[in-house]
Amino acid sequence: MASTMLSVASASPFASLSPLENVKGKLKLGSASLSFNKAKGNPFINAKSFCRISMVAAVNASRFESVTMAPPDPILGVSEAFRADTHESKLNLGVGAYRTEELQPYVLDVVKKAENLMVERGENKEYLPIEGLAAFNKVTAELLFGADNPVIKQQRVATVQGLSGTGSLRLAAALIERYFPGAKVLISSPTWGNHKNIFNDSRVPWSEYRYYDPKTVGLDFEGMIADIKAAPEGSFVLLHGCAHNPTGIDPTPEQWEKIANVIQAKSHIPFFDVAYQGFASGSLDTDAASVRLFTARGMELLVAQSYSKNLGLYAERIGAINVVCSSADAAARVKSQLKRLARPMYSNPPIHGARIVANVVGDPALFNEWKAEMEMMAGRIKNVRQKLYDSLSAKDKSGKDWSFILKQIGMFSFTGLNIDQSANMTSKWHVYMTKDGRISLAGLSLAKCDYLADAIVDSFHNVS
Amino acid sequence: MRAQTQRKMVFRAVMSGRVPRWSSDSGARSMSSWWRSVKPAPKDPILGVTEAFLSDSNPNKVNVGVGAYRDDNGKPVVLECVREAERRIAGNLNMGYLPMGGGVKMGEETLKLAYGEKSEFIRDKRIAAVQSLSGTGACRLFADFQKRFHPDSQIHIPVPTWANHHNIWRDAQVPHRTFHYYHPESRGLDFVALMDDIKNAPNGSFFLLHACAHNPTGVDPSEEQWREISHQFKAKGHFPFFDMAYQGFASGDPERDAKSIRIFLEDGHLIGIAQSYAKNMGLYGQRVGCLSVLCEDEKQAVAVKSQLQLLARPMYSNPPVHGALIVSTILSDPALKKLWLKEVKVMADRIIGMRTALRENLEKMGSPLSWEHITNQIGMFCYSGLAPEQVDRLTSEFHIYLTRNGRISMAGVTTGNVGYLANAIHEVTKSA
């Protein structure tokens, strides 16, 4: 959680709402009560106020007086801080949303075509079934596993449309909590910040396996294997299918085999988060290789999918949770229980994004067009990686090896910058990133690589 | 308890190796599943009705189950104002993530609908509001918020209520108590028992109230009754949480339908509201609504909003944009807004017309029972008073689909089927 000067003082998450000068002042003064509350038990409540409220039912006193200010979200809060910054050189490398070379958001052509088709057809807006749009679920499972995959032909996959990756992960977590009480989820160190929130709010215990090796700025493979082995049998292992977030470091195919071995040996359940299919290598099939490898071994597994990045449908909140089971009967039962968890969360999922996906992925011509746009987006990121690497190598005379930028894959790069160095990136250079040292290359243009290289070199060498 | 023990036993057996997890040499077919203990979930009582209706091939079938508006031909309706809004936004807007609190413009317009165009609370920024996944999402977010900040509290729920209310507060781990609401004998409000329950509840209890067009009964308190309820709430220091899913749909006038809320606001209550555009804008599948909590001051509103966002983040990160864009496009364009208000009135008037028609048809058939409640009740639903067995007969003999509590969705009644429906109801009740 954000507790640095930066996030409390200037990164008010509500800057975009309305002029909040007075409120900001008050927030600063009261900053001691803003960062996490040390009250025992419930970390969200100021215990003293709570007792006072429950004893006296005053007419106009708020029931929520004891509510403390939540810290800004470490990822989404970055964009909000960026928006508030007026400096001309500011650069937003925070949230992983793809930008063009002109640093504009990009609506894919296939999406525009699909939307126009939808307007022409004038379809209704009736409720979807709880499990979502059937056509969407079908093409989504096929995209992930391959249309000819036995698991699909044998109807062994329970697919339920979810609110993008987050919502799909949340459904899976709720399923784990209900049917595997006490089972732990192993998550990589580091991982996407919201994973922990999702498991915490679902009351699913978690622990970390080693992943990132700061010395090599690469994968700590021995540590990863050891930690997965050491976990209690029957744990869930959260794996990033491709383009690991935040590090950009993916296991090699040989390493994936070894990971699968140890997971099988320990009777763990693989739980994939696939948020970047197509964005890592540019090929939708290649990026699904890890999932398909595990599936080919006959393992039961879970996969949370998102179309936020690869179809640019971020705000439509479209994704899916897939559970591969050993039988069609188990898949049907699991699907019914996923629905039962979704109903008291949001009843049924939003239709718009699902229709776009069904139209694009389900139409051969649009699908091919999409593949081309996907290659273009992934290609731009590869080019930017190359340019950044070249700039860094040229500007940094210390001889530091920056080649990890080329080895990492996907939207993100783990720069190796620590908290203070990352803070310097923002405070001195107006480069917005997350404080774990992650930059989103999707938000970088070739034109800005030199500026960024300067910032990184300065932060790395002049700040400790 | 037994099911839970069973699950634990299976889990332990699998874990201890007594039941093999997988067989390395024969692949999927011989592998025992992790999911053996997962039972098939019961069909959702409401949404399951539509599923059953869809699989019925009888030409006379009638769906008066789920509360989704239909025109007089029984067809779903997309409002003209919505179509126009979609034309304006199709294909050219970027889809960057909304802020966690949702669309700002949509939020402002939505609060005006509930709190009033010139509301002092909006002006003074005292309302913590976030875009939500329609009404369900708003209720769930509030239930989770209630659990987090008043972990020992309960929710008082009317009898009856929308079935999913129970699921929502249960999955949020907030225990519930019930309070009297529907009076079966009169098919109206059990006002005396309702007031008693309000008085007898512990001070400072959380109550769930339907702002208008109560679901499933269609029975709303009168204005005078709302004032008494508000007064009693003040005396007891209760927290009123309003679920307003039908603003505009009850009387045809959104201002009038928000009367209960305005009464409570005048009386100084600090309320919470779940709003939905599913019905009144026909945006069902878009999942767009709003959760708001009225606070003492702006600072508190900012804090509460930040906590609501903290709850939403691990559920879905940020809310879907499309429906929100439709809403803000319509409500911020005076001409489109006017069109919308007109279309809402058309929908509400059609339903009122069908209520009258159904009642008249039943009376013409010489039914021995009183059917006044059909026109006394308001909104999309009519609590017919039919018993579950009578409902079953309606379905099995007449292919009429409704929920077993006897709730008829008037939105599914048309000039084409009202006679058939009346006849069927008469048949199953004439010997009652």
Side-chain angles (χ1 to χ4, degrees):
Chain A
M1 289 198 184
S3 55
T4 59
M5 270 300 293
L6 170 71
S7 51
V8 170
S10 59
S12 163
F14 309 103
S16 54
L17 274 184
S18 55
L20 276 181
E21 296 313 319
N22 291 338
V23 180
K24 264 192 195 163
K26 284 182 200 157
L27 289 180
K28 263 193 214 161
L29 283 172
S31 64
S33 61
L34 272 197
S35 48
F36 355 188
N37 203 298
K38 311 250 183 346
K40 290 196 182 45
N42 190 326
F44 301 93
I45 286 186
N46 179 320
K48 210 160 108 187
S49 304
F50 176 54
C51 292
R52 177 158 58 87
I53 289 295
S54 62
M55 278 163 53
V56 176
V59 170
N60 289 347
S62 172
R63 307 307 302 279
F64 300 107
E65 198 177 293
S66 58
V67 173
T68 55
M69 184 72 179
D73 184 273
I75 303 174
L76 301 178
V78 172
S79 284
E80 289 169 349
F82 170 81
R83 276 195 282 271
D85 185 334
T86 51
H87 196 272
E88 56 175 11
S89 297
K90 67 176 181 174
L91 190 55
N92 187 1
L93 303 182
V95 73
Y98 180 83
R99 295 284 177 268
T100 61
E101 171 62 28
E102 295 73 35
L103 297 185
Q104 292 306 307
Y106 180 62
V107 177
L108 277 70
D109 280 338
V110 286
V111 170
K112 288 184 193 169
K113 285 186 183 167
E115 283 214 297
N116 285 323
L117 268 173
M118 284 156 59
V119 168
E120 274 165 43
R121 278 194 222 120
E123 284 157 330
N124 68 52
K125 299 182 178 318
E126 296 301 289
Y127 291 124
L128 285 179
I130 304 175
E131 68 266 30
L133 187 67
F136 165 82
N137 289 343
K138 177 174 186 293
V139 301
T140 292
E142 288 174 357
L143 180 69
L144 185 61
F145 298 105
D148 295 327
N149 197 311
V151 302
I152 292 196
K153 292 185 147 47
Q154 292 161 17
Q155 300 181 308
R156 291 199 279 122
V157 186
T159 300
V160 168
Q161 180 185 337
L163 289 153
S164 202
T166 305
S168 306
L169 287 161
R170 181 57 178 263
L171 279 181
L175 187 74
I176 293 171
E177 194 272 340
R178 192 166 278 186
Y179 286 97
F180 296 88
K184 240 188 340 179
V185 175
L186 307 176
I187 61 181
S188 64
S189 171
T191 192
W192 178 49
N194 206 26
H195 280 145
K196 293 175 188 170
N197 299 332
I198 292 168
F199 296 117
N200 284 341
D201 276 24
S202 308
R203 293 176 307 275
V204 173
W206 54 268
S207 67
E208 287 174 298
Y209 58 85
R210 279 167 284 174
Y211 194 81
Y212 173 64
D213 185 351
K215 287 191 248 55
T216 59
V217 197
L219 179 60
D220 179 359
F221 188 60
E222 305 298 318
M224 177 180 184
I225 295 292
D227 289 346
I228 292 178
K229 243 190 212 147
E233 275 209 1
S235 296
F236 289 79
V237 184
L238 187 64
L239 303 160
H240 298 226
C242 64
H244 183 273
N245 176 2
T247 67
I249 298 162
D250 283 351
T252 62
E254 298 73 35
Q255 287 173 327
W256 274 123
E257 295 274 0
K258 295 200 173 108
I259 295 166
N261 288 344
V262 69
I263 286 180
Q264 275 185 308
K266 292 288 300 193
S267 291
H268 292 328
I269 305 184
F271 181 178
F272 284 93
D273 185 353
V274 175
Y276 299 97
Q277 187 181 2
F279 242 108
S281 66
S283 155
L284 291 157
D285 284 317
T286 305
D287 287 352
S290 59
V291 171
R292 295 181 189 179
L293 185 160
F294 279 64
T295 312
R297 288 187 179 214
M299 300 173 82
E300 285 185 314
L301 49 92
L302 303 107
V303 188
Q305 249 170 312
S306 165
Y307 287 96
S308 287
K309 284 77 167 176
N310 60 11
L311 257 174
L313 295 178
Y314 308 92
E316 302 292 347
R317 317 311 295 129
I318 180 68
I321 177 65
N322 303 271
V323 184
V324 178
C325 307
S326 59
S327 69
D329 178 68
R333 285 181 279 115
V334 167
K335 183 163 171 165
S336 76
Q337 294 294 347
L338 286 169
K339 286 163 65 169
R340 209 162 137 241
L341 287 160
R343 174 56 157 157
M345 261 194 227
Y346 48 82
S347 282
N348 36 66
I351 190 167
H352 197 72
R355 283 214 177 115
I356 294 175
V357 172
N359 277 302
V360 171
V361 182
D363 173 283
L366 285 179
F367 184 65
N368 283 334
E369 275 189 52
W370 178 36
K371 284 201 279 197
E373 281 191 279
M374 195 65 254
E375 277 179 38
M376 180 275 295
M377 291 194 287
R380 188 182 97 62
I381 290 182
K382 284 184 198 159
N383 288 343
V384 157
R385 280 187 184 276
Q386 186 64 54
K387 183 85 182 20
L388 180 61
Y389 168 75
D390 292 340
S391 300
L392 281 164
S393 307
K395 287 169 187 290
D396 183 19
K397 308 299 178 199
S398 73
K400 175 175 163 68
D401 180 9
W402 294 99
S403 65
F404 60 85
I405 299 228
L406 297 175
K407 291 188 201 126
Q408 291 165 2
I409 193 168
M411 235 185 231
F412 300 112
S413 174
F414 228 40
T415 55
L417 293 171
N418 65 31
I419 286 188
D420 296 316
Q421 293 165 336
S422 301
N424 183 65
M425 294 285 286
T426 308
S427 58
K428 182 170 172 191
W429 296 88
H430 303 272
V431 172
Y432 287 80
M433 50 189 284
T434 47
K435 59 187 177 65
D436 53 3
R438 181 191 90 166
I439 55 174
S440 170
L441 295 162
L444 181 61
S445 58
L446 293 170
K448 298 247 181 181
C449 282
D450 275 342
Y451 179 79
L452 181 61
D454 282 335
I456 292 176
V457 169
D458 170 63
S459 304
F460 188 76
H461 289 300
N462 299 334
V463 179
S464 48
Chain B
M1 214 50 207
R2 258 182 64 208
Q4 197 186 34
T5 317
Q6 234 180 330
R7 278 204 291 277
K8 283 189 176 144
M9 283 171 57
V10 169
F11 184 58
R12 275 193 225 113
V14 165
M15 290 305 92
S16 69
R18 277 178 282 140
V19 174
R21 265 288 296 123
W22 57 280
S23 167
S24 55
D25 48 8
S26 34
R29 256 166 306 164
S30 71
M31 188 170 68
S32 69
S33 174
W34 284 106
W35 311 102
R36 284 215 294 217
S37 62
V38 175
K39 304 217 182 324
K43 283 219 177 294
D44 183 277
I46 303 173
L47 303 178
V49 170
T50 295
E51 283 179 21
F53 169 82
L54 288 170
S55 23
D56 185 334
S57 53
N58 186 290
N60 294 323
K61 64 179 182 177
V62 174
N63 186 0
V64 282
V66 75
Y69 182 80
R70 296 283 177 269
D71 64 14
D72 200 44
N73 298 313
K75 296 272 175 282
V77 170
V78 178
L79 302 185
E80 256 317 299
C81 60
V82 170
R83 287 261 182 254
E84 175 55 29
E86 286 221 291
R87 277 191 283 269
R88 294 184 195 181
I89 67 186
N92 46 21
L93 234 40
N94 83 75
M95 290 170 190
Y97 292 121
L98 283 180
M100 274 184 286
V104 172
K105 191 63 186 149
M106 184 212 106
E108 288 168 2
E109 294 298 327
T110 301
L111 291 183
K112 283 190 206 161
L113 281 177
Y115 292 84
E117 283 268 340
K118 305 203 182 345
S119 163
E120 63 187 280
F121 309 115
I122 297 180
R123 183 197 67 211
D124 297 341
K125 302 193 170 82
R126 285 176 50 187
I127 306 173
V130 292
Q131 181 186 334
S132 64
L133 291 157
S134 205
T136 305
C139 287
R140 177 57 180 265
L141 212 50
F142 183 78
D144 283 345
F145 178 67
Q146 179 187 346
K147 178 66 183 177
R148 185 163 282 182
F149 290 94
H150 289 273
D152 299 328
S153 68
Q154 298 174 319
I155 184 73
H156 292 250
I157 294 185
V159 177
T161 193
W162 179 48
N164 205 26
H165 281 144
H166 286 272
N167 299 334
I168 290 169
W169 267 270
R170 185 202 59 223
D171 274 24
Q173 304 205 307
V174 175
H176 77 276
R177 311 262 311 245
T178 56
F179 63 89
H180 288 86
Y181 191 84
Y182 179 64
H183 191 242
E185 291 74 31
S186 62
R187 319 256 201 275
L189 183 64
D190 192 347
F191 188 60
V192 171
L194 164 65
M195 292 302 286
D196 274 344
D197 286 346
I198 293 174
K199 280 186 197 120
N200 295 332
N203 285 357
S205 293
F206 285 77
F207 273 76
L208 172 67
L209 303 168
H210 297 226
C212 64
H214 182 272
N215 175 2
T217 67
V219 170
D220 284 351
S222 66
E223 192 177 315
E224 301 71 45
Q225 288 172 327
W226 274 123
R227 292 196 187 281
E228 281 193 54
I229 294 168
S230 168
H231 181 79
Q232 193 56 49
F233 263 59
K234 262 176 104 149
K236 298 286 299 184
H238 290 329
F239 182 91
F241 183 71
F242 286 94
D243 186 354
M244 183 158 67
Y246 298 98
Q247 187 181 13
F249 238 99
S251 66
D253 175 2
E255 279 298 292
R256 209 167 125 196
D257 288 348
K259 190 66 186 169
S260 59
I261 288 176
R262 306 290 169 84
I263 287 171
F264 274 68
L265 290 172
E266 277 161 30
D267 287 350
H269 293 282
L270 295 172
I271 67 177
I273 309 179
Q275 280 169 277
S276 165
Y277 286 103
K279 285 76 167 174
N280 61 12
M281 229 184 246
L283 296 179
Y284 308 93
Q286 304 289 342
R287 317 314 292 131
V288 54
C290 178
L291 167 65
S292 60
V293 178
L294 177 60
C295 302
E296 284 177 317
D297 54 35
E298 185 181 352
K299 176 175 168 195
Q300 192 180 88
V302 168
V304 167
K305 179 170 171 160
S306 75
Q307 293 290 350
L308 292 174
Q309 289 178 180
L310 204 60
L311 284 160
R313 174 58 159 153
M315 244 197 252
Y316 48 83
S317 280
N318 31 61
V321 70
H322 195 74
L325 272 180
I326 294 175
V327 172
S328 63
T329 302
I330 291 171
L331 295 184
S332 49
D333 176 329
L336 277 184
K337 181 169 180 178
K338 203 164 154 205
L339 175 57
W340 172 55
L341 290 170
K342 204 173 105 189
E343 291 186 279
V344 167
K345 186 152 187 346
V346 164
M347 291 195 285
D349 283 348
R350 192 184 91 66
I351 287 180
I352 292 170
M354 287 299 101
R355 287 184 179 277
T356 307
L358 182 60
R359 174 181 167 182
E360 282 175 357
N361 269 273
L362 281 162
E363 288 169 350
K364 256 193 296 202
M365 279 170 192
S367 170
L369 306 171
S370 163
W371 297 103
E372 311 190 325
H373 55 284
I374 295 183
T375 46
N376 286 340
Q377 292 164 4
I378 194 168
M380 217 185 256
F381 300 111
C382 164
Y383 224 41
S384 59
L386 289 167
E389 304 70 47
Q390 293 169 323
V391 170
D392 291 341
R393 279 189 64 196
L394 279 182
T395 308
S396 59
E397 290 173 34
F398 295 94
H399 305 273
I400 294 172
Y401 290 82
L402 63 158
T403 46
R404 281 190 98 231
N405 54 9
R407 181 191 87 165
I408 295 175
S409 171
M410 295 306 300
V413 181
T414 67
T415 49
N417 65 25
V418 65
Y420 178 76
L421 179 60
N423 178 61
I425 292 175
H426 180 56
E427 284 299 310
V428 307
T429 57
K430 61 188 181 187
S431 51

